[in-house]
Amino acid sequence: PSAPAALRTERGQLTAALPDTNLISRIALRTATAQPTQVPGGPVDAIDLDGDRTAVILRDTGTVTVLHNGTPTATTEKFQGPAQLLPTRGGIAVLDRLATAITPIDPTTGSKGAGLRAGQGATNAITDRYGRILTIDTRGQELLAFSTDPLIMKQRYPVPGAPYGLAYDPTRDLAWITLTATNELVGYDIAGGEPQERHRLPTISQPNAVAVDPDTGDVYIASANGAGYQVVRA
């Protein structure tokens, strides 16, 4: 019914956060059957936790709320600009774009842990199979890696070219990053102590979004200025 601010796929289900209609919609990918849930406050991201709990970022209040079967059970203090939820082994973390910071949250109580600055202008983040949070610092032109138990910055690696889009292939340990200044896609092997560049390819213009199929290794890129979509075969 409206444009999603975030999409997530897990176990054959797509979860869409729809802030303009105050909905979270869960869609079975095999049947395209949607199950919408009303969530007042403009949800911009949502992630399913254990059992029947869901963590949601609310745009209108700048908070993260944990719902149990649709009923709020915990709410954080206000963030400046919460944008993404990240699952961690100890709970969840929040990427705050305005504060350019990563902050852990206890989903049981909603309390914040000690957050860390994420460069000069963090825009996107994702978790890898080692339990780390990978973050793109677009303004500082770096790839950052944080351990989460406790939250510590472990790596800072230069990525010139205005990096923005970020996807992770857990099968091949590749972090795929789009460069919006040069219209390129770069693949970094992140299994070791320092990222190693393995691939560099030209893309469509303004490649703001990227996703990877962990089974095939194919990479999907979307333009933000109407140039279309691109598929890179593994």
Side-chain angles (χ1 to χ4, degrees):
S2 65
L7 298 172
R8 294 179 179 272
T9 55
E10 188 175 13
R11 297 187 296 274
Q13 177 179 274
L14 175 73
T15 301
L18 313 173
D20 295 335
T21 46
N22 293 314
L23 290 173
I24 295 173
S25 186
R26 295 178 176 84
I27 302 158
L29 294 178
R30 290 187 179 275
T31 63
T33 304
Q35 294 182 327
T37 301
Q38 197 74 30
V39 180
V44 297
D45 197 10
I47 186 170
D48 289 328
L49 306 174
D50 54 281
D52 299 316
R53 296 188 305 162
T54 304
V56 184
I57 293 177
L58 299 179
R59 176 190 61 191
D60 297 351
T61 57
T63 60
V64 176
T65 294
V66 177
L67 307 173
H68 183 266
N69 291 326
T71 302
T73 59
T75 299
T76 66
E77 299 175 7
K78 187 173 183 178
F79 290 88
Q80 292 186 45
Q84 281 185 275
L85 290 169
L86 302 156
T88 66
R89 290 171 180 171
I92 53 177
V94 177
L95 170 65
D96 188 321
R97 285 180 180 156
L98 287 183
T100 187
I102 301 286
T103 303
I105 291 177
D106 183 335
T108 301
T109 63
S111 61
K112 293 180 181 179
L116 286 180
R117 179 92 174 181
Q120 302 174 41
T123 50
N124 289 295
I126 200 167
T127 53
D128 67 12
R129 69 185 183 95
Y130 304 104
R132 299 177 299 186
I133 295 174
L134 307 178
T135 307
I136 291 295
D137 177 11
T138 299
R139 186 175 299 169
Q141 303 196 79
E142 290 182 316
L143 171 63
L144 312 176
F146 296 84
S147 64
T148 57
D149 190 21
L151 186 65
I152 298 173
M153 184 186 291
K154 291 290 189 180
Q155 294 179 5
R156 297 181 65 176
Y157 190 78
V159 183
Y164 190 82
L166 173 64
Y168 171 64
D169 183 345
T171 305
R172 298 157 188 83
D173 274 325
L174 288 174
W176 290 101
I177 300 173
T178 62
L179 308 179
T180 57
T182 59
N183 295 326
E184 289 181 299
L185 174 71
V186 186
Y188 292 99
D189 186 330
I190 58 169
E194 180 178 290
Q196 300 290 324
E197 183 178 324
R198 300 297 187 209
H199 308 278
R200 184 177 290 265
L201 303 163
T203 68
I204 51 179
S205 62
Q206 201 61 42
N208 275 30
V210 61
V212 61
D213 185 332
D215 293 330
T216 65
D218 293 347
V219 183
Y220 301 83
I221 306 154
S223 167
N225 65 4
Y229 299 90
Q230 179 177 351
V231 180
V232 176
R233 298 293 184 194

